[in-house]
Every structure is written in C-alpha cells, then in structure tokens.
Amino acid sequence: MIIDGQHYQSIWYDEAQDGVHIIDQTGLPHRFETRALTTLEQACHAIASMQVRGAPLIGVTAAYGMYLALRADPAQQVSASASLLATRPTAVNLQWALDRVDGALAGLAEAKRAAAALKLARQMEAEDIATCAAIGTAGVTILQQLWQQKADKDAPLNLLTHCNAGALAAVDWGTALAVVYKAAEAGIPIHVWVDETRPRNQGASLTCWELGKQGIANTLIVDNAGGHLMQQGRVDVCVVGSDRTTIDGDVCNKIGTYLKALAAHDNGIPFYVALPVSSIDFSTAATATSIPIEERGAHEVSHLQGVDASGALTTVRVAPEDAAISNYGFDVTPARLVTGLITERGVVAASKAGIASLKKGA
Ligand code: MRU
C-alpha cells in the first residue's frame, strides 16, 4: 500500500536489523506510527491490543511471534504457540499459521528452530502478498461483468464493504479491498460505501484512510445505512472479508456482516466474500454455531475514540455509566446468503462442494 508516496506493508522483516516491524493500527487515522516487535510478549500484545488485526495479518504476525520467541529461547516452542493462540479466538488464520510453524519445526534440534521459524514467517509474508493479489485478480472478473451490466455508465460501480478487509488486514493488498484495487487498476470506475463498523470503527478509521491513500473514491456511512442505500439502487455489489469460513460455506466476519447480507439478499444485490484459503476452517467440527465468537470489553461500546479540536487523541463516553453492555466481535452469515467466495484459487460457490474444490494442498 502506498502511504504518502512510500510503499508500506502492514508487517515486514528488516534483514539488516533482524527486526520485525508493524504499522500500529491503534493510532490510525490520526497517528501513523510503526513499531518494532522484538519479543514474544510484544507480538502477543500487538495481536491482542489490535495494533495488528485482520485475519491474514494476525496469522503472519503469529509466525513472526514464534520466531521472536525461539530466538530468545528455543525451548519455549509449545508455550509460545499457546500464548499466541490465546490472543484472539475467531480468525482461524492464527491456528493455521501456528500449525504451519509447528509442522516446519517438527523434529528439528533446538539450535535450528529460530532460523526455521524465521524462514517460514518470511515465506508466509511473501505468500500472503501473492495470495491477496490473486484474490483481487479473481474478483475483477466479477466486477467487470457487473460494470458491463450497469445501465448508468455515468455513475461508478458502487461497492459496499464492512470493517477493514484491506491492505491493513493482510500484509498488503487485503482481500475485499484487493478486488477494489485491482478493479481500479483495470480501469473500472469504482466507488466504495464504507460501513463505519462500530464499535471499533475499523471502517471509519482504517478503510476510509487506506482507500483515501490509494486514491479510491469512498463514502463513509453509518452501519445502519446500507439497507437504505440498497433499496435506493445505490449499491451494485457487496464484498467483505472473512475470519473463518466453514466447510459448509458459512462465513464468520465482523459483527454486522450478516445484516448486510440479509439486506443484499432482499434487494437482489450480489454479496461476495473475498478470502484466502487459509481463512477456511477445514475441520468437520467447525459449524456456524461452533465458531468461537470473540466477546470484547464494554468500553468499546460505551466509549468512542477520536481527536479533539486540538488534535489530541481523546475518548468520550456515549452511554450511561451504568448501561448493561454486550460486545460480540463477529457474526456468521449463512452460505445461502453468499453469492460466491472469491479466493486465490478462483471464485467458488459458498457450499460444501465449492469449499471441497479448494481443499487441495490446503
Ligand atoms: O476485529 P478485526 O478488525 O480483526 O476484524 C477484521 C475483520 O473482520 C475482517 O473483515 C477479516 O479479518 C477479514 S480481513 C482480510
């Protein structure tokens, strides 16, 4: 992603310094800061505090976390893996990445573990970029068709997205937003409706920022506006990401995704999910009702963070002090509401057969 003329990834390894670096997303869009991760604890904190977030990025950060842990003490493989796994429950990419690291380290002498973990983490970083770019390319075909079908050629193709499934949610490109970036590269005039995505406002703070930096036209809307815009014919397609997709094609993503899918279905608007195969939970035990849904603190709902007139970061309370609050981070959209899954291996149906066709080598 280009930020003020410079290319950045959300996470990168600096060989000269033997350092892992991230964009700290908790300050965006107000503060652009990068941080070095030097220990396992810092990697765990980065994921848990959402300095890094988004399913693909969580996975790659966990792989680097294993490297940092083993560099300090190659005997702590099992405990390091457990600590990283405990940071966030919903995105299956975390388990996927840790399983890959464990597999690569199996049978290795302690002295060789850190180097092997680093090699794999760097490979996963590079793979994620290629994977997301391929997702984007696969999605362009769909947007091209929708653009050709659109009667009003004076208006851009209007795509609605939820949360942030962009370059900030992966190493680069993103998933849903990779489709947008590749469509723009292909010359499709595109405009993005960005759901603010309460309570943490990843849409307002991250997606608007990221799209703006890439020069993509976008409009921020409150989470409840999508249905109205769809009824007005002002949404041509919805594309979102996924934290965990089951073998039946049910899609777990940021809370509120399900309501957008319902509204899209009611209005005959295609609803696509863009995801890497690493976001699919191939275990047969994973069903729509068994996915661990993250429950987060009440403070995210009762309070809002932003900058005041002087530019200082500040937090204000919007709910009564004694309000009872629940804060589910994710919901599950049933496969029947999903038009298709856009993956690096092509576009498939959100169904048992569609998912099975992706399994090879997963
Ligand atoms: O809580 P977050 O910000 O990690 O949630 C992110 C999402 O829900 C994304 O849509 C999902 O991880 C897909 S990212 C390509």
Side-chain angles (χ1 to χ4, degrees), residues 50 53-56 88 163-165 169 175 202 242-243 253-254 330:
M50 296 177 67
R53 27 68 52 203
R88 293 194 73 190
C163 194
N164 173 264
T175 59
Q202 289 96 325
S242 170
D243 286 82
N253 191 51
K254 179 55 54 189
F330 299 88

Side-chain angles (χ1 to χ4, degrees), residues 293-336:
I293 302 290
E294 180 174 26
E295 287 186 62
R296 300 183 57 85
H299 197 264
E300 289 182 352
V301 179
S302 58
H303 289 69
L304 282 171
Q305 178 182 280
V307 285
D308 65 18
S310 73
L313 263 184
T314 184
T315 298
V316 294
R317 183 163 52 77
V318 290
E321 264 181 290
D322 59 354
I325 286 167
S326 97
N327 185 12
Y328 291 98
F330 299 88
D331 61 24
V332 180
T333 298
R336 67 187 161 79

Side-chain angles (χ1 to χ4, degrees), residues 245-313:
T245 292
T246 71
I247 53 167
D248 297 319
D250 298 321
V251 173
C252 182
N253 191 51
K254 179 55 54 189
I255 193 83
T257 302
Y258 170 47
L259 291 178
K260 294 301 140 59
L262 279 173
H265 185 73
D266 191 44
N267 288 281
I269 293 165
F271 187 94
Y272 285 95
V273 180
L275 72 160
V277 173
S278 58
S279 292
I280 298 172
D281 188 341
F282 285 102
S283 84
T284 46
T287 63
T289 49
S290 73
I291 294 173
I293 302 290
E294 180 174 26
E295 287 186 62
R296 300 183 57 85
H299 197 264
E300 289 182 352
V301 179
S302 58
H303 289 69
L304 282 171
Q305 178 182 280
V307 285
D308 65 18
S310 73
L313 263 184

Side-chain angles (χ1 to χ4, degrees), residues 6-61:
Q6 202 178 325
H7 180 257
Y8 278 91
Q9 294 179 184
S10 302
I11 190 167
W12 69 97
Y13 176 72
D14 182 333
E15 197 160 6
Q17 297 172 13
D18 184 20
V20 180
H21 299 267
I22 57 164
I23 296 173
D24 180 350
Q25 301 186 25
T26 56
L28 292 175
H30 316 295
R31 308 267 183 277
F32 177 78
E33 288 172 344
T34 63
R35 298 201 187 286
L37 302 181
T38 58
T39 64
L40 166 68
E41 291 69 29
Q42 286 175 353
C44 288
H45 173 73
I47 300 172
S49 67
M50 296 177 67
Q51 287 175 339
V52 293
R53 27 68 52 203
L57 179 56
I58 289 171
V60 175
T61 307

